[in-house]
Coordinates of all heavy atoms in Angstrom, one line a residue:
M605 N 3.2 13.0 -7.9 CA 4.0 11.9 -7.2 C 3.1 11.1 -6.3 O 1.9 11.4 -6.2 CB 5.1 12.6 -6.4 CG 6.3 13.0 -7.3 SD 7.1 11.6 -8.1 CE 7.8 10.7 -6.7
S606 N 3.7 10.1 -5.7 CA 2.8 9.2 -4.9 C 3.7 8.5 -3.9 O 4.9 8.4 -4.1 CB 2.2 8.2 -5.8 OG 1.6 7.2 -5.0
Y607 N 3.1 8.1 -2.8 CA 3.8 7.2 -1.9 C 3.7 5.8 -2.5 O 3.0 5.6 -3.5 CB 3.1 7.2 -0.5 CG 3.6 8.4 0.4 CD1 3.7 9.7 -0.2 CD2 3.8 8.2 1.7 CE1 4.1 10.7 0.6 CE2 4.2 9.3 2.5 CZ 4.4 10.5 2.0 OH 4.8 11.6 2.8
T608 N 4.4 4.9 -1.9 CA 4.4 3.5 -2.4 C 4.2 2.5 -1.2 O 4.8 2.7 -0.2 CB 5.8 3.2 -3.0 OG1 6.1 4.1 -4.1 CG2 5.9 1.7 -3.6
I609 N 3.4 1.5 -1.4 CA 3.4 0.4 -0.5 C 4.3 -0.7 -1.0 O 4.1 -1.2 -2.1 CB 2.0 -0.1 -0.3 CG1 1.2 1.0 0.5 CG2 1.9 -1.4 0.5 CD1 -0.3 0.7 0.7
V610 N 5.3 -1.1 -0.2 CA 6.2 -2.1 -0.6 C 5.5 -3.5 -0.3 O 5.3 -3.9 0.8 CB 7.5 -2.0 0.3 CG1 8.5 -3.1 -0.2 CG2 8.1 -0.6 0.1
S611 N 5.1 -4.1 -1.4 CA 4.3 -5.3 -1.4 C 4.8 -6.4 -0.5 O 4.0 -7.1 0.2 CB 4.1 -5.8 -2.8 OG 3.6 -4.8 -3.6
D612 N 6.1 -6.6 -0.5 CA 6.7 -7.7 0.2 C 7.0 -7.4 1.7 O 7.4 -8.3 2.4 CB 8.0 -8.2 -0.5 CG 7.7 -8.9 -1.8 OD1 6.5 -9.2 -2.1 OD2 8.6 -9.0 -2.6
V613 N 6.7 -6.2 2.1 CA 6.9 -5.8 3.5 C 5.6 -5.6 4.2 O 5.4 -5.8 5.4 CB 7.7 -4.5 3.6 CG1 7.9 -4.0 5.0 CG2 9.1 -4.7 2.9
C614 N 4.5 -5.1 3.5 CA 3.2 -4.9 4.0 C 2.7 -6.2 4.7 O 2.9 -7.3 4.2 CB 2.3 -4.5 2.9 SG 0.5 -4.4 3.3
E615 N 2.0 -6.0 5.8 CA 1.4 -7.2 6.5 C -0.1 -7.1 6.6 O -0.7 -7.8 7.4 CB 2.1 -7.2 8.0 CG 3.5 -7.5 7.9 CD 4.2 -7.7 9.2 OE1 3.5 -7.6 10.3 OE2 5.5 -7.9 9.3
G616 N -0.7 -6.2 5.8 CA -2.1 -6.2 5.7 C -2.9 -5.8 6.9 O -4.0 -6.2 7.1
K617 N -2.2 -4.9 7.7 CA -2.9 -4.5 8.9 C -4.0 -3.5 8.6 O -4.9 -3.3 9.5 CB -1.9 -3.8 9.8 CG -0.6 -4.6 10.1 CD -0.7 -5.4 11.3 CE 0.6 -6.1 11.6 NZ 0.4 -7.4 12.2
S618 N -4.0 -2.9 7.5 CA -5.0 -2.0 7.0 C -5.2 -0.7 7.7 O -6.2 0.0 7.5 CB -6.4 -2.7 6.8 OG -7.1 -2.9 8.0
D619 N -4.3 -0.4 8.6 CA -4.4 0.9 9.4 C -4.4 2.1 8.4 O -4.9 3.2 8.6 CB -3.3 1.1 10.4 CG -3.2 0.0 11.4 OD1 -3.4 -1.2 11.0 OD2 -3.0 0.3 12.6
C620 N -3.7 1.9 7.3 CA -3.5 2.9 6.3 C -4.8 3.3 5.5 O -5.1 4.4 5.2 CB -2.5 2.5 5.2 SG -2.8 0.9 4.4
I621 N -5.7 2.3 5.3 CA -6.9 2.5 4.4 C -7.8 3.6 5.0 O -8.1 4.5 4.2 CB -7.6 1.2 4.2 CG1 -6.7 0.2 3.4 CG2 -8.9 1.4 3.5 CD1 -7.3 -1.2 3.2
P622 N -8.2 3.6 6.2 CA -9.2 4.6 6.7 C -8.6 6.0 6.8 O -9.4 6.9 6.9 CB -9.7 4.0 8.1 CG -8.6 3.1 8.5 CD -8.0 2.5 7.3
V623 N -7.3 6.1 6.9 CA -6.7 7.5 7.1 C -6.5 8.2 5.8 O -6.2 9.4 5.8 CB -5.5 7.5 8.0 CG1 -5.7 6.9 9.4 CG2 -4.3 6.7 7.3
C624 N -6.5 7.5 4.7 CA -6.2 8.2 3.4 C -7.4 9.1 3.1 O -8.5 8.7 2.9 CB -6.0 7.1 2.3 SG -5.7 7.9 0.7
P625 N -7.1 10.4 2.9 CA -8.2 11.4 2.6 C -8.8 11.3 1.2 O -9.9 11.8 1.0 CB -7.5 12.7 2.8 CG -6.1 12.5 2.5 CD -5.8 11.0 3.0
V626 N -8.1 10.5 0.3 CA -8.6 10.4 -1.0 C -9.0 9.0 -1.4 O -9.2 8.7 -2.6 CB -7.7 11.1 -2.1 CG1 -7.6 12.6 -1.9 CG2 -6.3 10.4 -2.0
D627 N -9.0 8.1 -0.4 CA -9.4 6.7 -0.6 C -8.7 6.0 -1.8 O -9.3 5.3 -2.6 CB -10.9 6.6 -0.9 CG -11.8 6.9 0.3 OD1 -11.3 6.6 1.4 OD2 -12.9 7.4 0.2
C628 N -7.4 6.2 -1.8 CA -6.6 5.6 -2.9 C -5.8 4.4 -2.5 O -5.0 3.9 -3.3 CB -5.7 6.6 -3.5 SG -4.3 7.2 -2.6
I629 N -6.1 3.8 -1.3 CA -5.4 2.6 -0.9 C -6.4 1.4 -1.0 O -7.5 1.5 -0.4 CB -4.8 2.7 0.5 CG1 -3.9 3.9 0.6 CG2 -4.0 1.4 0.9 CD1 -3.3 4.2 2.0
H630 N -6.0 0.4 -1.7 CA -6.9 -0.7 -1.9 C -6.2 -2.1 -1.7 O -5.0 -2.2 -1.7 CB -7.3 -0.7 -3.4 CG -7.8 0.6 -3.9 ND1 -9.0 1.1 -3.5 CD2 -7.2 1.6 -4.6 CE1 -9.2 2.3 -4.1 NE2 -8.1 2.6 -4.7
W631 N -7.0 -3.1 -1.4 CA -6.5 -4.5 -1.3 C -6.0 -5.0 -2.7 O -6.7 -4.7 -3.7 CB -7.5 -5.4 -0.7 CG -7.9 -5.1 0.7 CD1 -9.0 -4.5 1.1 CD2 -7.1 -5.3 1.8 NE1 -9.0 -4.3 2.5 CE2 -7.8 -4.8 2.9 CE3 -5.8 -5.8 2.1 CZ2 -7.3 -4.9 4.2 CZ3 -5.3 -5.9 3.3 CH2 -6.1 -5.4 4.4
V632 N -5.0 -5.7 -2.7 CA -4.6 -6.4 -4.0 C -5.4 -7.7 -4.0 O -5.4 -8.5 -3.1 CB -3.1 -6.7 -4.0 CG1 -2.7 -7.4 -5.3 CG2 -2.3 -5.4 -3.9
E633 N -6.2 -7.8 -5.1 CA -7.1 -8.9 -5.3 C -7.0 -9.5 -6.7 O -6.7 -8.8 -7.6 CB -8.6 -8.4 -5.1 CG -8.9 -7.9 -3.7 CD -10.3 -7.4 -3.5 OE1 -10.8 -6.8 -4.5 OE2 -10.9 -7.7 -2.5
Q634 N -7.4 -10.7 -6.8 CA -7.5 -11.3 -8.1 C -8.8 -12.2 -8.1 O -8.9 -13.0 -7.2 CB -6.3 -12.2 -8.3 CG -5.8 -12.0 -9.8 CD -4.4 -12.6 -9.9 OE1 -4.0 -13.6 -9.2 NE2 -3.7 -12.1 -10.9
G635 N -9.7 -12.0 -9.0 CA -10.9 -12.7 -9.0 C -11.7 -12.6 -7.8 O -12.3 -13.6 -7.3
G636 N -11.7 -11.5 -7.1 CA -12.5 -11.3 -5.9 C -11.8 -11.8 -4.6 O -12.4 -11.7 -3.5
Q637 N -10.7 -12.5 -4.8 CA -9.9 -13.0 -3.6 C -8.7 -12.2 -3.3 O -8.0 -11.8 -4.2 CB -9.5 -14.4 -3.9 CG -10.6 -15.4 -4.2 CD -11.0 -16.1 -2.9 OE1 -10.6 -15.8 -1.8 NE2 -11.9 -17.1 -3.0
K638 N -8.5 -11.9 -2.0 CA -7.2 -11.1 -1.7 C -6.0 -12.0 -2.0 O -6.0 -13.2 -1.7 CB -7.3 -10.7 -0.2 CG -8.2 -9.6 0.0 CD -8.2 -9.2 1.5 CE -9.3 -8.2 1.8 NZ -9.7 -8.2 3.2
T639 N -5.0 -11.3 -2.6 CA -3.8 -12.0 -3.0 C -2.8 -12.0 -1.8 O -2.9 -11.0 -1.0 CB -3.1 -11.2 -4.2 OG1 -4.1 -11.1 -5.2 CG2 -1.9 -12.0 -4.7
K640 N -2.0 -13.0 -1.6 CA -1.0 -13.1 -0.5 C 0.3 -12.6 -1.0 O 0.7 -12.9 -2.2 CB -0.9 -14.5 0.1 CG -2.3 -15.1 0.5 CD -2.8 -14.4 1.8 CE -4.1 -15.1 2.3 NZ -4.8 -14.3 3.3
N641 N 1.1 -12.0 -0.2 CA 2.5 -11.6 -0.6 C 3.5 -12.7 0.0 O 3.1 -13.7 0.4 CB 2.8 -10.2 0.0 CG 2.8 -10.1 1.5 OD1 2.7 -11.1 2.2 ND2 2.9 -8.9 2.0
V642 N 4.8 -12.3 -0.1 CA 5.8 -13.3 0.4 C 5.7 -13.6 1.8 O 6.2 -14.6 2.3 CB 7.2 -12.8 0.0 CG1 7.4 -12.7 -1.5 CG2 7.5 -11.4 0.7
K643 N 5.0 -12.7 2.6 CA 4.9 -13.0 4.0 C 3.6 -13.8 4.3 O 3.2 -14.0 5.4 CB 4.8 -11.7 4.8 CG 6.1 -10.9 4.9 CD 5.8 -9.6 5.7 CE 7.2 -8.9 6.0 NZ 6.9 -7.7 6.8
S644 N 2.9 -14.2 3.2 CA 1.6 -14.9 3.3 C 0.6 -14.1 4.0 O -0.3 -14.7 4.7 CB 1.8 -16.3 4.0 OG 2.7 -17.1 3.2
T645 N 0.6 -12.8 3.8 CA -0.5 -11.9 4.4 C -1.1 -11.2 3.2 O -0.6 -11.1 2.1 CB 0.1 -10.9 5.3 OG1 0.9 -10.0 4.6 CG2 0.9 -11.5 6.5
D646 N -2.4 -10.7 3.5 CA -3.0 -9.8 2.5 C -2.1 -8.6 2.4 O -1.4 -8.2 3.4 CB -4.4 -9.4 3.0 CG -5.3 -10.6 3.3 OD1 -5.1 -11.7 2.7 OD2 -6.2 -10.5 4.2
Y647 N -2.3 -7.8 1.3 CA -1.5 -6.6 1.2 C -2.2 -5.6 0.4 O -3.2 -5.9 -0.3 CB -0.1 -6.8 0.7 CG 0.1 -7.4 -0.7 CD1 0.5 -6.6 -1.7 CD2 -0.2 -8.7 -1.0 CE1 0.6 -7.1 -3.0 CE2 -0.1 -9.3 -2.2 CZ 0.3 -8.5 -3.3 OH 0.5 -9.0 -4.5
T648 N -1.8 -4.4 0.4 CA -2.5 -3.3 -0.2 C -1.6 -2.6 -1.2 O -0.4 -2.8 -1.2 CB -3.0 -2.2 0.9 OG1 -1.8 -1.8 1.6 CG2 -4.0 -2.8 1.8
Y649 N -2.2 -1.7 -2.0 CA -1.5 -0.9 -2.9 C -2.0 0.6 -2.9 O -3.2 0.8 -2.6 CB -1.4 -1.4 -4.3 CG -2.7 -1.4 -5.1 CD1 -3.0 -0.3 -6.0 CD2 -3.7 -2.3 -4.9 CE1 -4.2 -0.2 -6.7 CE2 -5.0 -2.2 -5.6 CZ -5.2 -1.2 -6.5 OH -6.4 -1.1 -7.1
I650 N -1.2 1.5 -3.4 CA -1.6 2.9 -3.5 C -1.9 3.2 -5.0 O -1.0 2.8 -5.8 CB -0.6 3.8 -2.9 CG1 -0.5 3.7 -1.4 CG2 -0.8 5.3 -3.4 CD1 0.7 4.4 -0.8
D651 N -3.0 3.7 -5.3 CA -3.3 4.2 -6.6 C -2.5 5.5 -6.8 O -2.9 6.6 -6.3 CB -4.8 4.4 -6.8 CG -5.2 5.1 -8.1 OD1 -4.3 5.4 -8.9 OD2 -6.4 5.4 -8.3
N652 N -1.4 5.4 -7.6 CA -0.5 6.6 -7.6 C -1.1 7.8 -8.4 O -0.6 8.9 -8.3 CB 0.8 6.1 -8.3 CG 0.7 5.8 -9.7 OD1 -0.1 4.8 -10.1 ND2 1.4 6.4 -10.6
E653 N -2.1 7.5 -9.2 CA -2.7 8.7 -9.9 C -3.6 9.5 -9.0 O -4.0 10.6 -9.3 CB -3.5 8.1 -11.1 CG -2.6 7.3 -12.0 CD -3.0 7.4 -13.5 OE1 -4.2 7.8 -13.8 OE2 -2.1 7.2 -14.3
T654 N -4.0 8.9 -7.9 CA -4.9 9.6 -7.0 C -4.2 10.2 -5.7 O -4.7 11.2 -5.1 CB -6.1 8.7 -6.5 OG1 -6.7 8.1 -7.7 CG2 -7.2 9.4 -5.8
C655 N -3.2 9.5 -5.3 CA -2.4 9.9 -4.1 C -2.0 11.3 -4.1 O -1.5 11.8 -5.2 CB -1.2 9.0 -4.0 SG -0.1 9.4 -2.6
I656 N -2.2 12.1 -3.0 CA -1.9 13.5 -3.0 C -0.7 13.7 -2.1 O -0.4 14.8 -1.6 CB -3.1 14.3 -2.5 CG1 -3.6 13.8 -1.1 CG2 -4.2 14.3 -3.5 CD1 -4.6 14.8 -0.5
D657 N 0.1 12.6 -1.7 CA 1.3 12.8 -1.0 C 1.2 13.4 0.4 O 2.0 14.2 0.8 CB 2.3 13.7 -1.8 CG 3.3 13.0 -2.6 OD1 3.4 11.7 -2.5 OD2 4.0 13.6 -3.4
C658 N 0.1 13.0 1.1 CA -0.2 13.7 2.4 C 0.6 13.1 3.5 O 0.8 13.7 4.5 CB -1.6 13.7 2.7 SG -2.2 12.0 3.2
G659 N 1.0 11.8 3.4 CA 1.8 11.2 4.4 C 1.0 10.5 5.6 O 1.6 9.9 6.5
A660 N -0.3 10.6 5.5 CA -1.2 10.0 6.6 C -1.0 8.5 6.7 O -1.0 8.0 7.8 CB -2.6 10.4 6.4
C661 N -0.9 7.9 5.6 CA -0.7 6.4 5.6 C 0.6 6.0 6.3 O 0.6 5.0 7.0 CB -0.8 5.8 4.2 SG 0.4 6.6 3.0
L662 N 1.6 6.7 5.9 CA 2.9 6.3 6.5 C 2.9 6.5 8.0 O 3.4 5.7 8.8 CB 4.0 7.2 5.9 CG 5.5 7.0 6.4 CD1 5.9 5.6 6.3 CD2 6.4 7.9 5.6
A663 N 2.3 7.6 8.5 CA 2.2 7.9 9.9 C 1.3 6.8 10.6 O 1.6 6.5 11.8 CB 1.5 9.2 10.1
A664 N 0.4 6.2 9.9 CA -0.5 5.2 10.6 C 0.0 3.8 10.5 O -0.4 2.9 11.3 CB -1.9 5.3 9.9
C665 N 0.9 3.5 9.6 CA 1.3 2.1 9.3 C 2.2 1.6 10.5 O 3.3 2.3 10.8 CB 2.0 2.0 8.0 SG 2.6 0.3 7.7
P666 N 1.9 0.5 11.1 CA 2.8 0.0 12.2 C 3.9 -0.8 11.7 O 4.7 -1.3 12.5 CB 1.8 -0.9 13.0 CG 0.8 -1.4 11.9 CD 0.7 -0.3 10.9
V667 N 4.0 -1.1 10.4 CA 5.1 -2.0 9.9 C 6.2 -1.1 9.3 O 6.0 -0.5 8.3 CB 4.5 -3.0 8.9 CG1 5.6 -3.9 8.4 CG2 3.4 -3.8 9.5
E668 N 7.4 -1.2 9.9 CA 8.6 -0.5 9.5 C 8.9 -0.8 8.0 O 9.0 -2.0 7.6 CB 9.7 -0.9 10.3 CG 11.1 -0.3 10.0 CD 11.2 1.1 10.6 OE1 10.8 1.3 11.7 OE2 11.8 2.0 9.9
G669 N 8.9 0.2 7.2 CA 9.3 0.0 5.8 C 8.2 -0.4 4.8 O 8.5 -0.6 3.6
A670 N 7.0 -0.5 5.3 CA 5.9 -1.0 4.4 C 5.4 0.1 3.5 O 4.9 -0.2 2.4 CB 4.7 -1.5 5.3
I671 N 5.6 1.4 3.9 CA 5.2 2.5 3.1 C 6.4 3.4 2.9 O 7.1 3.7 3.9 CB 4.0 3.3 3.7 CG1 2.8 2.4 3.8 CG2 3.7 4.5 2.8 CD1 1.6 3.0 4.4
I672 N 6.7 3.9 1.7 CA 7.8 4.8 1.5 C 7.3 6.1 0.9 O 6.3 6.0 0.2 CB 9.0 4.2 0.7 CG1 8.5 3.6 -0.6 CG2 9.7 3.1 1.6 CD1 9.7 3.1 -1.4
D673 N 8.0 7.2 1.2 CA 7.4 8.5 0.8 C 7.9 9.0 -0.6 O 8.0 10.1 -0.8 CB 7.8 9.5 1.8 CG 9.3 9.8 1.9 OD1 10.1 9.1 1.2 OD2 9.7 10.6 2.7
E674 N 8.0 8.0 -1.5 CA 8.2 8.3 -2.9 C 7.7 7.2 -3.8 O 7.3 6.2 -3.3 CB 9.7 8.5 -3.2 CG 10.6 7.3 -2.8 CD 12.1 7.6 -2.9 OE1 12.5 8.3 -3.8 OE2 12.8 7.0 -2.1
W675 N 7.5 7.5 -5.0 CA 6.9 6.6 -6.0 C 8.0 5.6 -6.5 O 8.9 6.0 -7.3 CB 6.2 7.3 -7.1 CG 5.5 6.4 -8.1 CD1 5.6 6.5 -9.5 CD2 4.6 5.4 -7.8 NE1 4.8 5.6 -10.1 CE2 4.2 4.9 -9.1 CE3 4.1 4.8 -6.7 CZ2 3.3 3.8 -9.2 CZ3 3.2 3.7 -6.8 CH2 2.8 3.3 -8.0
K676 N 7.8 4.3 -6.1 CA 8.8 3.3 -6.6 C 7.9 2.1 -7.1 O 7.7 1.1 -6.4 CB 9.6 2.8 -5.4 CG 10.6 3.8 -4.9 CD 11.9 3.7 -5.5 CE 12.9 4.7 -4.9 NZ 14.2 4.7 -5.7
P677 N 7.4 2.3 -8.3 CA 6.5 1.3 -8.9 C 7.1 -0.1 -8.9 O 6.3 -1.1 -8.8 CB 6.2 1.8 -10.3 CG 7.2 2.8 -10.6 CD 7.7 3.3 -9.3
E678 N 8.4 -0.3 -9.0 CA 9.0 -1.6 -9.0 C 8.8 -2.4 -7.7 O 9.0 -3.6 -7.6 CB 10.5 -1.5 -9.4 CG 11.4 -0.8 -8.4 CD 11.5 0.7 -8.6 OE1 10.5 1.3 -9.2 OE2 12.4 1.3 -8.0
L679 N 8.5 -1.6 -6.6 CA 8.4 -2.3 -5.3 C 6.9 -2.6 -4.9 O 6.6 -3.3 -3.9 CB 8.9 -1.3 -4.2 CG 10.4 -1.0 -4.3 CD1 10.8 -0.1 -3.2 CD2 11.3 -2.3 -4.2
Q680 N 6.0 -2.1 -5.7 CA 4.6 -2.2 -5.4 C 3.9 -3.1 -6.5 O 3.8 -2.7 -7.6 CB 3.9 -0.8 -5.4 CG 2.4 -0.9 -5.1 CD 1.7 0.4 -5.0 OE1 1.7 1.0 -3.9 NE2 1.2 0.9 -6.0
K681 N 3.5 -4.3 -6.1 CA 2.9 -5.2 -7.0 C 1.3 -5.0 -6.9 O 0.8 -4.9 -5.8 CB 3.2 -6.7 -6.6 CG 4.6 -7.0 -6.7 CD 4.9 -8.4 -6.2 CE 6.4 -8.6 -5.9 NZ 6.6 -9.7 -4.9
V682 N 0.7 -5.0 -8.0 CA -0.8 -4.8 -8.1 C -1.4 -6.0 -8.8 O -0.9 -6.5 -9.7 CB -1.1 -3.5 -8.8 CG1 -2.6 -3.4 -8.9 CG2 -0.5 -2.3 -8.1
Ligands
SF4_1496 S1 0.9 -0.6 4.3 FE1 1.0 -0.8 6.6 S2 -1.0 -0.1 7.4 FE2 -1.2 -0.5 5.2 S3 -2.0 -2.6 5.0 FE3 0.3 -2.6 4.8 S4 1.1 -3.0 6.9 FE4 -1.0 -2.3 7.0
SF4_1497 S1 0.2 9.7 1.0 FE1 -1.9 10.3 1.7 S2 -3.1 10.3 -0.2 FE2 -1.2 9.1 -0.6 S3 -1.9 7.0 -0.2 FE3 -1.0 7.8 1.7 S4 -2.7 8.6 2.9 FE4 -3.4 8.4 0.7

């Protein structure tokens, strides 16, 4: 299983990236440029094949609802 970053709620604060013990949170990019979401901010995604469900990212994220503790691929754009 995996946590999910809700692409349209994330505000690109990146607090989640350094706390992930398996380095599975990445910026969404295209052609080397960070992609913007509906809030016009950079955003991140979780590699669901690597995530170990530890919850550190959710605890670190300052944005309510940006990370959820289950795998919902339809909410996470990559
Ligand atoms: S999920 Fe939360 S901590 Fe991670 S980049 Fe988005 S807003 Fe920031
Ligand atoms: S739940 Fe843990 S392993 Fe999964 S993305 Fe968040 S910090 Fe990384």
Side-chain angles (χ1 to χ4, degrees):
M605 283 299 292
S606 171
Y607 279 41
T608 301
I609 292 179
V610 183
S611 304
D612 291 343
V613 178
C614 175
E615 295 181 3
K617 309 270 188 211
S618 80
D619 303 42
C620 55
I621 293 176
V623 301
C624 178
V626 293
D627 288 332
C628 71
I629 304 177
H630 310 287
W631 294 106
V632 178
E633 295 179 321
Q634 222 167 27
Q637 297 270 6
K638 286 179 188 160
T639 308
K640 305 291 184 194
N641 65 7
V642 294
K643 292 179 166 178
S644 298
T645 65
D646 303 333
Y647 64 106
T648 55
Y649 72 95
I650 291 171
D651 171 4
N652 67 300
E653 301 214 339
T654 308
C655 175
I656 57 169
D657 263 352
C658 72
C661 55
L662 179 56
C665 178
V667 179
E668 177 85 38
I671 301 180
I672 53 177
D673 64 357
E674 56 187 327
W675 181 230
K676 293 268 185 186
E678 66 275 18
L679 299 178
Q680 180 176 272
K681 298 176 197 158
V682 176

